[in-house]
């Protein structure tokens, strides 16, 4: 039950009538008492008058007044913050499939653990969210354009394959283009739906080789996302001890937390670190709650209405039992 806000507060004027009713009841009781005291033969009155119930006879009236107060609050339209499913949103899931994702520091491999968590995330999103899927290694590939068809996204996740290099900036630019194309079709009078990119990667950008601030680098792409008001949520997946064999030689593929955190900050998004499959699943669960639901002021009059109605019925029943009449 909430009193945080009301859609029709003018209904509280009814409380003036309720207060007048309560005052009238008290006045009537005092009048009856004065009439009783005027009766000169009190001993005879005691024998012929029905036995009084004492204070219990007032209970039905008190409960009725309380019921009217609760029903008035219900009519005023109390509201409360409630979590409701989004009916329109666009999310593009961007997954790193570079060779470093073959590292076994996350069992069985980083890629296989990522598949399980990403599928759970996709299948758990609320129906109103359009989800797209992009993978990247040396280039970015749009596997699924934003859609509410979760089965297609799940199938594409199952078929992810490893490839060389890590072009994080290209992946972000591809996600932005995918969102813009989708928004231009479904925008409508309300404008394009709110959008977000979820980027999961374990390694440092290798293409372009110069720096993340290159014209096609990840930091440049993150700034472009900020300009378009599309935040990037980054998930840094893996550990500092990860290694893979390349041409028969072990090579370190330590996770690059700093770069992933910088991408999130530049774009106005959030950064998460996941060093195990369980941590990755929890991150995706958190994102599912954040993305799939929004907090709105919703109607909260139902409990007030129910309680007020129950008390009104209780008042009627009490009046019949105590006074053999309705209040």
């Amino acid at each position: 039950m909430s009193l945080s806000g009301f859609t029709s507060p003018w209904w509280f004027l009814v409380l003036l009538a309720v207060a007048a009713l309560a005052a009238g009841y008290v006045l009537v009781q005092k009048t009856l008492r004065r009439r009783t005291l005027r009766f000169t033969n009190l001993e005879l009155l005691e024998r012929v008058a029905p036995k009084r119930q004492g204070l219990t006879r007032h209970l039905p009236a008190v409960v009725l007044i309380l019921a009217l107060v609760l029903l008035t609050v219900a009519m005023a339209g109390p509201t409360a913050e409630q979590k409701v499913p989004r009916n329109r949103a666009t999310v593009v899931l961007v997954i790193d499939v570079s060779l470093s994702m073959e590292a076994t520091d996350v069992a069985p491999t980083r890629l296989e653990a990522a598949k399980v968590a990403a599928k759970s995330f996709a299948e758990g999103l609320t129906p109103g969210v359009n989800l797209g899927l992009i993978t990247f290694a040396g280039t970015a590939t749009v596997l699924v354009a934003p859609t509410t068809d979760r089965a297609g996204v799940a199938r594409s996740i199952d078929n992810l394959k490893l490839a060389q290099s890590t072009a994080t900036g290209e992946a972000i630019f591809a996600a932005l283009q995918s969102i813009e194309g989708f928004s231009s079709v479904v925008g409508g009078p309300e404008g394009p739906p709110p959008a977000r990119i979820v980027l999961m990667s374990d390694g440092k950008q290798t293409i372009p080789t110069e720096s993340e601030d290159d014209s096609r680098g990840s930091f440049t792409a993150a700034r472009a996302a900020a300009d378009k008001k599309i935040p990037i949520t980054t998930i840094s997946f893996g550990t500092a001890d990860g290694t893979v064999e390349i041409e028969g030689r072990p090579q370190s593929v330590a996770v690059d937390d700093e770069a992933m955190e910088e991408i999130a900050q530049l774009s106005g998004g959030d950064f998460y670190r996941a060093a195990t499959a369980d941590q990755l699943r929890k991150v995706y669960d958190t994102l599912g709650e954040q993305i799939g639901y929004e907090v709105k002021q919703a109607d909260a009059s139902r409990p007030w209405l129910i309680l007020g109605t129950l008390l009104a019925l209780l008042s009627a029943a009490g009046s019949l039992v105590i006074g053999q009449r309705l209040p």
Side-chain angles (χ1 to χ4, degrees), residues 10-94:
W10 54 269
W11 273 105
F12 280 119
L13 293 174
V14 176
L15 290 178
L16 296 176
V18 176
L21 184 63
Y25 179 82
V26 172
L27 182 61
V28 167
Q29 295 303 310
K30 288 184 176 181
T31 302
L32 290 175
R33 180 175 178 81
R34 283 197 298 270
R35 289 178 181 175
T36 301
L37 292 176
R38 291 197 193 105
F39 198 89
T40 56
N41 193 339
L42 295 179
E43 184 179 348
L44 176 61
L45 179 64
E46 184 69 23
R47 290 199 299 267
V48 300
K51 188 175 181 180
R52 298 164 62 89
Q53 292 90 3
L55 294 178
T56 57
R57 72 183 188 277
H58 300 302
L59 285 178
V62 172
V63 174
L64 178 61
I65 295 298
L66 182 57
L68 292 175
V69 171
L70 293 176
L71 291 173
T72 300
V73 174
M75 290 188 293
T79 62
E81 288 189 349
Q82 294 182 10
K83 190 173 67 174
V84 296
R86 293 186 187 274
N87 57 11
R88 59 195 303 265
T90 305
V91 177
V92 175
L93 181 59
V94 182

Side-chain angles (χ1 to χ4, degrees), residues 221-255:
R223 295 187 187 97
D227 293 339
K228 300 177 186 298
K229 301 188 184 306
I230 300 176
I232 304 173
T233 296
T234 60
I235 306 172
S236 185
F237 183 46
T239 70
D241 302 322
T243 60
V244 294
E245 283 195 7
I246 298 179
E247 297 180 352
R249 292 182 299 177
Q251 182 170 325
S252 173
V253 286
V255 68

